[in-house]
Amino acid sequence: MHTRTLGQGLAVSALGLGCMGMSDFYGPADDARSTDVIRAAVDRGITFFDSADMYGPFTNEILVGRALAAVRDRVTIATKFGFERTADGGWVGINGRPDYVRASCDASLSRLGVDHIDLYYQHRVDPSVPIEDTFGAMKELVDAGKVRYLGISEAAPDTIRRAHAVHPLAAVQTEWSLWTRDVEHNGVFAVTQELGIGFVPYSPLARGVLSGNMPDPATLTDDDFRRHNPRFQPKNLDINMRTVEAVKAVARRIDATPAQVAIAWLMAQGDHVVPIPGTRSIDRLVENIGAASVILDESTVQELSEIAPDGAPAGQRYNDLSDVYL
Ligand SMILES: NC(=O)c1ccc[n+]([C@@H]2O[C@H](COP(=O)([O-])OP(=O)(O)OC[C@H]3O[C@@H](n4cnc5c(N)ncnc54)[C@H](OP(=O)(O)O)[C@@H]3O)[C@@H](O)[C@H]2O)c1
């Protein structure tokens, strides 16, 4: 797998592995199986792994840290703070206070079993705390050697600029896929290009939909995020599946799978773009890694871009959009 560089010099595999679904949001966890998937990813050249303290909550970092312990020096571990949760899965709120940043980092280091975090993101911006205060505390973590690079997730362009002025950012992580296109028009992608910040698209497969193999929503467990997400409600999903049919047609034509096409389309948007598809299956991991070898020509990239223009999907991407682009 070739590498790409995030920000000022964080070299990672051109495709990362999202580990969230191994512990939360997409149904029951199976740590043994997920450990095998993480290790299979390492064997196939993936060096970039994405976690967060709130996935589980608190269990995903333990899983990721253990699975990668033997290869710790060869991989980049990214994690996040900012969504405050209780151990039983409850939600407290968004917290960007400096004391919380420091305590969260120490707790993540301990759960991951590492002496430093390679890439530390603020998961969501706390509107009650100036971003300079939050990133001032994150910069101190870099100075103390606890963190190597900083990132931010789902922030507005001006917030990204202000955070970057406190300490250069290596990555902005935001939802981006063929069915969530707003970063192309709201200044978020443009600001990463302008400031030389890496872009890490999350949910690049639209939470499974763009693979063309999404399970029947009626079979999802009640704690599955998609069960209650507007875009997955039957009426909206019927409309949204038209995008998938069009992606499938392109995939057939170029002898790739729909998941590979969806990931390759993102990778074609810029050399600083590193998608992090998530899976709990080695077969799907191998399929998704294949996307790094799918080179789309300009006209196919354009065709895909026209298949699903910004705003085309029916239903919002989250029930509550009040904590994004702050
Ligand atoms: N910053 C944030 O706020 C934020 C929010 C969401 C996610 N993330 C990060 O982004 C990562 C990726 O996003 P995501 O997991 O939400 O969505 P995703 O990568 O778009 O899709 C994951 C889903 O697709 C399925 N899948 C993956 N590859 C497949 C394939 N080839 N064929 C069929 N199904 C496939 C997976 O099922 P199986 O697991 O059963 O294979 C899983 O249900 C997460 O793991 C997390 O690290 C960050």
Side-chain angles (χ1 to χ4, degrees):
M1 165 92 52
H2 60 288
T3 58
R4 288 188 166 189
T5 302
L6 299 174
Q8 308 69 39
L10 178 57
V12 294
S13 50
L15 209 57
L17 179 63
C19 299
M20 177 186 83
M22 297 175 179
S23 306
D24 216 344
F25 299 107
Y26 298 143
D30 181 337
D31 281 0
R33 194 166 164 232
S34 294
T35 299
D36 289 345
V37 173
I38 292 171
R39 292 186 178 155
V42 174
D43 291 345
R44 286 161 178 79
I46 298 250
T47 63
F48 186 35
F49 296 85
D50 191 78
S51 184
D53 56 4
M54 71 90 142
Y55 299 161
F58 311 120
T59 53
N60 190 250
E61 288 182 326
I62 296 171
L63 168 76
V64 170
R66 283 185 185 155
L68 294 173
V71 293
R72 167 65 189 114
D73 294 342
R74 293 199 272 128
V75 295
T76 296
I77 298 179
T79 194
K80 322 181 190 77
F81 75 91
F83 277 115
E84 207 175 345
R85 292 184 75 180
T86 53
D88 63 4
W91 296 86
V92 180
I94 292 169
N95 194 338
R97 289 196 303 271
D99 57 343
Y100 181 75
V101 174
R102 288 187 281 271
S104 299
C105 179
D106 285 343
S108 286
L109 286 168
S110 161
R111 282 188 295 266
L112 286 163
V114 297
D115 62 8
H116 68 273
I117 292 163
D118 301 302
L119 174 57
Y120 200 38
Y121 293 99
Q122 182 181 23
H123 210 155
R124 287 293 183 278
V125 173
D126 181 345
S128 70
V129 179
I131 197 71
E132 288 77 10
D133 293 1
T134 303
F135 273 75
M138 292 172 74
K139 178 184 185 316
E140 284 170 18
L141 297 174
V142 177
D143 294 342
K146 294 183 177 186
V147 166
R148 284 176 65 215
Y149 291 92
L150 299 184
I152 196 166
S153 176
E154 292 283 8
D158 185 52
T159 310
I160 294 169
R161 279 181 201 286
R162 286 167 57 196
H164 189 72
V166 176
H167 184 88
L169 298 181
V172 167
Q173 182 177 132
T174 295
E175 183 168 353
W176 190 15
S177 71
L178 277 167
W179 86 340
T180 297
R181 305 276 307 274
D182 44 2
V183 297
E184 295 165 52
H185 310 287
N186 65 10
V188 171
F189 184 62
V191 82
T192 63
Q193 288 175 303
E194 181 196 326
L195 299 178
I197 303 171
F199 197 110
V200 177
Y202 78 73
S203 302
L205 296 174
R207 305 180 186 274
V209 169
L210 289 168
S211 73
N213 279 321
M214 165 77 200
D216 176 352
T219 65
L220 300 174
T221 53
D222 195 54
D223 61 353
D224 193 303
F225 165 89
R226 295 167 292 192
R227 200 150 176 116
H228 309 285
N229 180 280
R231 287 192 179 169
F232 290 85
Q233 301 317 302
K235 251 195 188 154
N236 289 340
L237 197 58
D238 283 350
I239 297 168
N240 295 334
M241 289 313 281
R242 288 179 210 153
T243 307
V244 183
E245 290 310 316
V247 175
K248 276 185 183 170
V250 172
R252 274 194 297 273
R253 198 179 72 222
I254 66 168
D255 198 21
T257 70
Q260 290 170 342
V261 167
I263 296 167
W265 175 84
L266 280 169
M267 296 181 79
Q269 306 299 320
D271 285 343
H272 69 306
V273 177
V274 180
I276 49 167
T279 180
R280 295 161 295 182
S281 135
I282 292 181
D283 287 348
R284 289 174 173 181
L285 168 79
V286 172
E287 177 186 345
N288 297 345
I289 287 174
S293 313
V294 174
I295 310 296
L296 301 176
D297 61 32
E298 230 172 88
S299 69
T300 309
V301 171
Q302 185 60 28
E303 179 186 354
L304 288 162
S305 299
E306 284 164 16
I307 279 172
D310 190 22
Q316 296 184 161
R317 65 188 177 104
Y318 283 110
N319 277 307
D320 179 4
L321 290 170
S322 63
D323 62 8
V324 297
Y325 300 133
L326 296 180

